[in-house]
Amino acid sequence: MIIDVLDDNDHEPKFMADLIQTRLPDNADLGSSVIQVQAYDSDHGINGELRYSILHGNKDDMFVIDPILGNIILAKELDLNSQITEFMLMIKASDQSIDDKKSATIPVHILLTSGITFLYYVGYTTCPNMSRNVQKYPKIMFWQKNLI
């Protein structure tokens, strides 16, 4: 006699937090990974396999999500002249049960940050070829791209 034990889909997917927050430089490259969301499901087989999707908040389809890995990716270039400073996406994790699909959602807050940081050097440089009356000039500020 052979007995097959099947898994009931008796667990819902769960995220580890109630809210995910991250920062995205406003000069991020197209295709940049923003953040990875991750849920778990204690069921086995297809009842425990999760797929991710963006439910709403994806203004102008700025982001896509890898349905298997949960990686949120920048799908369009950010408009540096836009007044938009943040996005609030609602992400859904669904199991793959055929009969009794279960899901969970989590808000993902993406705050745009300035991609340029100005650094100032406090000090002076002297003008060459001047003897006694040495004049001092402020050193010039410079900038670099901010990594986050």
Side-chain angles (χ1 to χ4, degrees), residues 105-133:
T105 59
I106 189 166
V108 176
H109 181 227
I110 301 168
L111 179 65
L112 298 182
T113 59
S114 174
I116 296 182
T117 301
F118 288 93
L119 303 174
Y120 296 89
Y121 181 85
V122 179
Y124 292 89
T125 185
T126 57
C127 184
N129 300 326
M130 298 189 81
S131 52
R132 290 190 182 264
N133 296 330

Side-chain angles (χ1 to χ4, degrees), residues 29-57:
D29 293 330
L30 185 66
S32 294
S33 176
V34 178
I35 195 165
Q36 183 177 17
V37 298
Q38 191 170 18
Y40 66 93
D41 189 321
S42 297
D43 289 313
H44 298 284
I46 61 172
N47 294 338
E49 289 179 21
L50 299 178
R51 296 295 182 268
Y52 300 95
S53 60
I54 301 174
L55 283 182
H56 57 79

